[in-house]
């Protein structure tokens, strides 16, 4: 009887589809997003971050917070982003000097 193989396959596929709703991830974003600017407020990079944040807010439907973390030529802000949880809720923006090291 070769029916056992297709029957087992059909049951496995049915179980996979039955478990699919439980495996779906939550929608992104489900909480506010933070953009870290490693320079003081009012500069050109801060302005770009605020414009981008407003557009992200409109398209994603969640608040976007621009956080200025100054000091050490941008290293403190870049470190803050590097130590953040890798969940895409903390984003860094800066110039080449603040995000790259030699």
């Amino acid at each position: 009887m070769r029916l056992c193989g297709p029957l087992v396959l059909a049951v496995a596929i049915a179980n996979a589809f039955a478990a699919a709703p439980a495996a779906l991830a939550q929608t992104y974003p489900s909480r506010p997003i933070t953009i870290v600017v490693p320079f003081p407020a009012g500069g050109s990079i801060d302005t770009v971050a605020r414009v981008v944040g407003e557009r992200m807010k409109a398209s994603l439907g969640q608040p976007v917070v621009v956080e200025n973390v100054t000091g050490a030529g941008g290293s403190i802000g870049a470190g803050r982003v590097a130590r953040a949880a890798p969940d895409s809720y903390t984003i860094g923006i800066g110039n080449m000097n603040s995000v790259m090291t030699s």
Side-chain angles (χ1 to χ4, degrees):
M1 287 192 82
R2 295 289 295 167
L3 291 177
C4 187
L7 182 60
V8 171
L9 180 62
V11 170
I13 290 172
N15 283 338
F17 281 117
L24 294 176
Q26 63 181 344
T27 58
Y28 177 85
S30 60
R31 58 187 171 96
I33 297 170
T34 302
I35 299 176
V36 176
V37 179
F39 299 108
S44 59
I45 296 174
D46 179 60
T47 303
V48 169
R50 292 180 190 280
V51 169
V52 169
E54 283 298 316
R55 295 211 177 163
M56 287 174 64
K57 176 183 173 184
S59 67
L60 296 175
Q62 284 290 333
V64 177
V65 178
V66 176
E67 183 179 330
N68 296 87
V69 181
T70 62
S75 296
I76 295 174
R80 162 108 162 58
V81 174
R83 287 186 301 277
D87 57 4
S88 300
Y89 285 97
T90 303
I91 302 169
I93 188 170
N95 62 18
M96 190 168 30
N97 293 333
S98 66
V99 297
M100 295 178 70
T101 59
S102 52

